[in-house]
Amino acid sequence: MARVLSANNVHTVISALRVFESASSESEVNLVKASVLAGTPKRFVASVWGVQYAEGSMVGDARARTLTELRTTNLEWTRFNNGYFLDCFGPSTLKSYMQPVVYAIDVAHKAAGIPGTGNEPMAFTYTFDVARFLLAALDLPKWEEEMYCYGEKTTWNAFLKAAEDARGSKFNVSYDPLGKLQRGKVTELPAHQDMGYEVFSREALQQLMAIWGQFVLDGRYDLPLDKALNKTFAEVHPMTVKDVLAMWQGL
């Protein structure tokens, strides 16, 4: 990896590795080491692309190993916080390179399993807009250790209302209280069954989404708008929730 980075005179390394546990954590740590050995990289983007996981959790500890390694280097580094990806709520006509993981609101099947009261703040961003903010941030003279961007900050209840308006009918809605989330359970949506549990087992997906639900209640998706790159790069006009949901009209 070091030879490839050096041969191509790479200045900035952007990690998009899926860092969830020790093996993937080791891969990203090795990428940091390769960047140092190569000599040409000056900046490094550690893989988050969502929200920060709590310390003491498997994912949080896995990602912390990268930061520990980065702090031993002279690399300037950052992490991107962008909330939940809007790609997961669009129809198949929405351009995306990610495999959507439908969470909380299943627009296709007009169903919802919302964490908490539904009034907790949530940030959503389309992947292509995250890329646009990242591209703009490459020109910043100094990086903060955490950077923020968003397409829209709203609530699940407001999202639900916009989805119902777009589909022209009421959804079948359930709310998952904190106690249920703490037991590692969420409302199963039709889209989860359509996935066939190929990427995650049913139990693993339930537990992962229960963690996300607790993050919602903890305010981890409540990104600080005053620190967001949206203010610095006003020329970037990200897609909003309604922009994506409007694609469902007539379907």
Side-chain angles (χ1 to χ4, degrees), residues 10-241:
V10 172
H11 177 278
T12 301
V13 176
I14 302 167
S15 173
L17 294 169
R18 184 190 234 171
V19 181
F20 269 179
E21 29 59 51
S22 58
S24 52
S25 173
E26 183 179 3
S27 296
E28 190 168 59
V29 168
N30 284 340
L31 185 57
V32 174
K33 291 178 179 179
S35 300
V36 174
L37 286 172
T40 58
K42 306 301 179 187
R43 283 176 159 177
F44 191 99
V45 182
S47 184
V48 173
W49 315 113
V51 297
Q52 302 296 333
Y53 277 67
E55 293 183 8
S57 67
M58 181 179 69
V59 178
D61 289 348
R63 293 177 177 177
R65 294 187 192 103
T66 300
L67 306 188
T68 298
E69 185 67 28
L70 282 166
R71 292 187 177 107
T72 69
T73 74
N74 292 322
L75 293 168
E76 186 178 23
W77 55 271
T78 191
R79 298 161 286 172
F80 266 73
N81 299 270
N82 51 259
Y84 203 82
F85 286 127
L86 265 176
D87 306 47
C88 298
F89 305 98
S92 59
T93 53
L94 175 64
K95 184 178 180 180
S96 179
Y97 293 115
M98 70 175 293
Q99 181 176 8
V101 179
V102 174
Y103 171 54
I105 296 181
D106 183 348
V107 184
H109 298 92
K110 302 180 182 180
I114 295 174
T117 66
N119 292 320
E120 294 80 9
M122 280 288 301
F124 300 90
T125 318
Y126 178 41
T127 50
F128 281 80
D129 291 327
V130 177
R132 292 184 183 99
F133 282 116
L134 170 59
L135 180 62
L138 296 179
D139 290 331
L140 289 173
K142 182 179 182 301
W143 278 1
E144 301 296 329
E145 292 186 359
E146 288 191 61
M147 288 202 241
Y148 305 88
C149 65
Y150 65 95
E152 182 177 348
K153 190 159 86 168
T154 182
T155 66
W156 280 121
N157 283 336
F159 194 120
L160 173 63
K161 175 63 166 57
E164 290 177 334
D165 288 346
R167 296 305 317 269
S169 66
K170 290 292 184 180
F171 285 20
N172 181 18
V173 182
S174 297
Y175 288 87
D176 296 333
L178 177 60
K180 182 177 180 179
L181 299 173
Q182 289 174 331
R183 294 194 300 274
K185 301 295 182 183
V186 298
T187 298
E188 186 177 37
L189 299 173
H192 301 162
Q193 299 175 25
D194 286 351
M195 288 168 55
Y197 297 109
E198 295 175 358
V199 178
F200 298 98
S201 67
R202 183 180 185 278
E203 181 182 8
L205 186 63
Q206 285 270 315
Q207 292 177 346
L208 180 60
M209 291 189 172
I211 291 172
W212 294 343
Q214 292 177 69
F215 284 179
V216 173
L217 273 58
D218 290 342
R220 290 182 182 271
Y221 286 95
D222 185 9
L223 301 186
L225 303 191
D226 59 319
K227 297 181 180 180
L229 294 172
N230 300 57
K231 293 182 64 176
T232 305
F233 302 110
E235 67 275 13
V236 178
H237 300 287
M239 291 186 75
T240 66
V241 169

